[in-house]
C-alpha cells in the first residue's frame, strides 16, 4: 500500500532474540518524536503565520524522521509541503500559498494518523502470534 519502504524492513532486521521488541520500540519513539514535531509545527504556524522558512525547518525534521523509519507516505506528504513552502517567493497570492500549505499539512497529519493505526494493528498481531517459532515447539520444551 506504499505506507512503508525497505527502510522499515531494515529496522525489523535489527530485531533479534536479545531485542525482540526492537522494531516496536523504534516505532514508538518515532511517534513520540513526530507528534512533538507536529505540535511544534502547529505552534509555529500560530506564532509565525508567514514564516515559511521556520515551517520548512520543522517539516524537514519530520521528513528526516520518516525517512529513518521507512514511513514513505508521510515522508512524501512532507516533501509536498516543503515544495509549497519553496514557492513562497513565487508570484501569486500569499493567501493561496497559506491555504495550500494548510491543506498539505492536513494531509501530513492524516497520513501520520493512518500509519499509526496500521502500525498499532501490525504490532498487536505480532504480539498475539507470540515469539517466532513457539507454535512449532513441542509442548514442555
Amino acid at each position: 500500500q506504499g505506507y512503508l519502504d525497505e527502510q522499515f524492513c531494515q529496522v525489523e532486521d535489527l530485531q533479534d532474540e536479545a531485542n525482540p521488541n526492537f522494531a516496536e520500540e523504534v516505532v514508538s519513539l518515532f511517534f513520540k518524536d513526530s507528534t512533538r514535531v507536529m505540535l511544534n509545527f502547529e505552534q509555529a504556524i500560530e506564532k509565525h503565520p508567514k514564516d515559511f522558512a521556520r515551517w520548512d525547518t520543522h517539516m524537514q525534521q519530520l521528513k528526516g524522521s520518516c525517512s529513518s523509519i521507512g514511513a514513505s507516505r508521510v515522508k512524501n506528504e512532507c516533501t509536498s509541503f516543503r515544495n509549497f513552502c519553496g514557492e513562497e517567493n513565487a508570484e501569486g497570492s500569499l493567501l493561496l500559498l497559506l491555504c495550500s500549505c494548510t491543506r498539505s499539512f492536513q494531509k501530513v497529519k492524516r497520513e501520520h494518523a493512518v500509519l499509526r493505526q496500521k502500525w498499532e494493528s501490525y504490532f498487536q498481531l505480532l504480539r498475539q502470534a507470540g515469539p517466532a517459532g513457539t507454535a512449532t515447539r513441542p509442548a514442555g520444551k
Side-chain angles (χ1 to χ4, degrees), residues 33-48:
D33 183 58
S34 60
T35 300
R36 179 190 52 78
V37 170
M38 288 194 306
L39 179 61
N40 290 344
F41 180 87
E42 288 176 325
Q43 291 171 348
I45 288 175
E46 288 178 23
K47 292 178 183 174
H48 310 280

Side-chain angles (χ1 to χ4, degrees), residues 1-9 30 62-80 107-108 111-112 115 119:
Q1 293 176 333
Y3 286 97
L4 301 172
D5 61 25
E6 66 280 348
Q7 183 62 32
F8 181 67
C9 295
F30 163 76
L62 181 58
K63 181 181 173 189
S65 294
C66 291
S67 293
S68 68
I69 196 80
S72 61
R73 285 181 64 161
V74 180
K75 180 185 76 173
N76 292 342
E77 289 301 334
C78 291
T79 299
S80 294
K107 288 180 181 178
V108 169
E111 288 296 339
H112 185 267
L115 182 60
W119 257 329

Side-chain angles (χ1 to χ4, degrees), residues 6-131:
E6 66 280 348
Q7 183 62 32
F8 181 67
C9 295
Q10 291 177 7
V11 170
E12 280 190 311
D13 287 345
L14 295 173
Q15 192 162 282
D16 59 16
E17 290 177 12
N19 295 305
N21 300 321
F22 180 78
E24 188 171 7
E25 291 169 7
V26 170
V27 167
S28 178
L29 289 172
F30 163 76
F31 279 112
K32 182 179 177 182
D33 183 58
S34 60
T35 300
R36 179 190 52 78
V37 170
M38 288 194 306
L39 179 61
N40 290 344
F41 180 87
E42 288 176 325
Q43 291 171 348
I45 288 175
E46 288 178 23
K47 292 178 183 174
H48 310 280
K50 297 177 186 174
D51 191 345
F52 296 101
R54 184 181 304 257
W55 299 2
D56 186 59
T57 298
H58 289 295
M59 198 56 64
Q60 175 62 22
Q61 186 178 7
L62 181 58
K63 181 181 173 189
S65 294
C66 291
S67 293
S68 68
I69 196 80
S72 61
R73 285 181 64 161
V74 180
K75 180 185 76 173
N76 292 342
E77 289 301 334
C78 291
T79 299
S80 294
F81 180 90
R82 294 190 72 225
N83 289 338
F84 284 121
C85 281
E87 295 172 8
E88 98 177 80
N89 293 322
E91 287 188 38
S93 165
L94 179 61
L95 182 58
L96 181 62
L97 179 59
L98 290 171
C99 289
S100 295
C101 288
T102 301
R103 277 193 311 270
S104 183
F105 181 60
Q106 293 306 314
K107 288 180 181 178
V108 169
K109 287 174 54 175
R110 189 170 39 251
E111 288 296 339
H112 185 267
V114 168
L115 182 60
R116 179 187 297 261
Q117 220 174 17
K118 288 189 177 292
W119 257 329
E120 286 173 356
S121 296
Y122 174 71
F123 287 119
Q124 182 178 10
L125 286 172
L126 286 180
R127 284 190 297 275
Q128 288 173 354

